[in-house]
């Protein structure tokens, strides 16, 4: 019984991985597939390289770029990987502007915001490259995630063999191209 529970947990994790991978692929496709390409919905460049690595200044440059589209959808969420978040962890007191650096050192990033944006830190470095940040507008502008059939687990037992399969029917759509950005912070 514990083995079945463990396998079921692993299958559900694989399912959520695929959902996340599909969303990141959709974002990259929308943004034109490479830095400097045009957003296929708006024609604006929303995937940019910013020289100088990550610092308070270069992050400010990224936020500034999000105000250029005519729609000016406010950015409310940032997505990066845990390795890149560690680069922000290195910021000194002069960059953060308070003793908050000591708290971040001891307690981690936690639920702190940057420029009033929720910072979502993922462990999925294969999906979100090091030195990259995705920025998104409010969820009412960006996308919809529909689930037609909730995940269902199917288990087949044949003699000593047990087969697991999870099935879900879901769909995603990005509704407003100006609500999605990607910035790659280049160090060389």
């Amino acid at each position: 019984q514990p083995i079945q529970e463990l396998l079921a947990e692993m299958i559900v994790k694989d399912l959520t991985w695929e959902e996340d991978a599909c969303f990141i692929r959709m974002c990259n496709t929308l943004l034109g597939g490479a830095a400097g390409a045009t957003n296929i919905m708006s024609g604006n460049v929303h995937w940019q390289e910013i020289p100088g690595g990550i610092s308070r200044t270069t992050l400010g440059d990224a936020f500034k770029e999000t105000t250029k589209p005519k729609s000016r959808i406010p950015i409310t969420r940032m997505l990066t990987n845990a390795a890149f978040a560690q680069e922000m962890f290195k910021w000194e007191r002069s960059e953060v502007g308070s003793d908050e650096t000591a708290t971040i050192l001891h307690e981690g990033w936690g639920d702190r915001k940057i420029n009033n944006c929720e910072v979502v830190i993922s462990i999925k470095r294969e999906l979100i490259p090091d030195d990259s940040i995705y920025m998104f507008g409010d969820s009412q502008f960006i996308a919809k995630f529909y689930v037609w059939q909730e995940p269902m687990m199917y288990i087949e037992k044949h003699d000593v063999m047990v087969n697991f399969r999870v099935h879900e029917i879901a769909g995603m759509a990005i509704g407003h191209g100006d609500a999605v950005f990607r910035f790659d912070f280049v160090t060389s």
Side-chain angles (χ1 to χ4, degrees):
Q1 185 65 27
I3 292 173
Q4 286 181 347
E5 290 175 14
L6 177 64
L7 290 173
E9 184 179 316
M10 291 171 55
I11 289 172
V12 170
K13 286 180 182 179
D14 287 345
L15 184 64
T16 59
W17 175 279
E18 188 55 37
E19 289 172 354
D20 292 347
C22 183
F23 178 71
I24 294 297
R25 283 191 304 268
M26 282 177 35
C27 290
N28 289 339
T29 299
L30 168 72
L31 299 174
T38 57
N39 181 314
I40 62 174
M41 291 176 101
S42 69
N44 296 318
V45 176
H46 286 198
W47 183 343
Q48 298 181 21
E49 290 184 343
I50 297 181
I54 186 67
S55 68
R56 182 175 176 170
T57 301
T58 57
L59 188 58
D61 292 341
F63 274 104
K64 182 179 175 183
E65 291 298 317
T66 68
T67 65
K68 290 183 178 178
K70 292 179 182 176
S71 61
R72 292 181 188 90
I73 295 172
I75 299 302
T76 60
R77 189 167 291 122
M78 298 170 45
L79 172 64
T80 190
N81 71 32
F84 191 59
Q86 296 307 317
E87 290 299 317
M88 293 188 293
F89 168 80
K90 294 178 184 178
W91 289 353
E92 296 181 13
R93 186 176 195 273
S94 60
E95 287 185 288
V96 176
S98 70
D99 290 329
E100 189 74 5
T101 54
T103 306
I104 293 169
L105 174 67
H106 297 291
E107 298 174 13
W109 196 262
D111 60 355
R112 288 170 181 79
K113 292 185 174 189
I114 294 179
N115 197 19
N116 207 29
C117 286
E118 175 187 357
V119 180
V120 179
I121 300 172
S122 173
I123 60 171
K124 299 173 181 168
R125 290 176 76 182
E126 299 85 353
L127 300 179
I128 304 155
D130 290 353
D131 302 328
S132 295
I133 290 180
Y134 288 85
M135 292 187 181
F136 303 103
D138 191 274
S139 60
Q140 69 180 348
F141 294 109
I142 180 171
K144 294 292 180 186
F145 180 77
Y146 299 100
V147 177
W148 187 53
Q149 179 183 331
E150 292 292 335
M152 305 233 353
M153 180 166 298
Y154 299 94
I155 303 172
E156 294 177 9
K157 297 178 184 179
H158 297 287
D159 194 22
V160 295
M161 298 293 292
V162 178
N163 292 320
F164 288 86
R165 180 174 63 92
V166 173
H167 182 72
E168 174 188 44
I169 299 175
M172 292 183 234
I174 295 177
H176 200 308
D178 280 346
V180 180
F181 292 85
R182 177 176 165 175
F183 298 100
D184 298 335
F185 295 84
V186 182
T187 56
S188 57

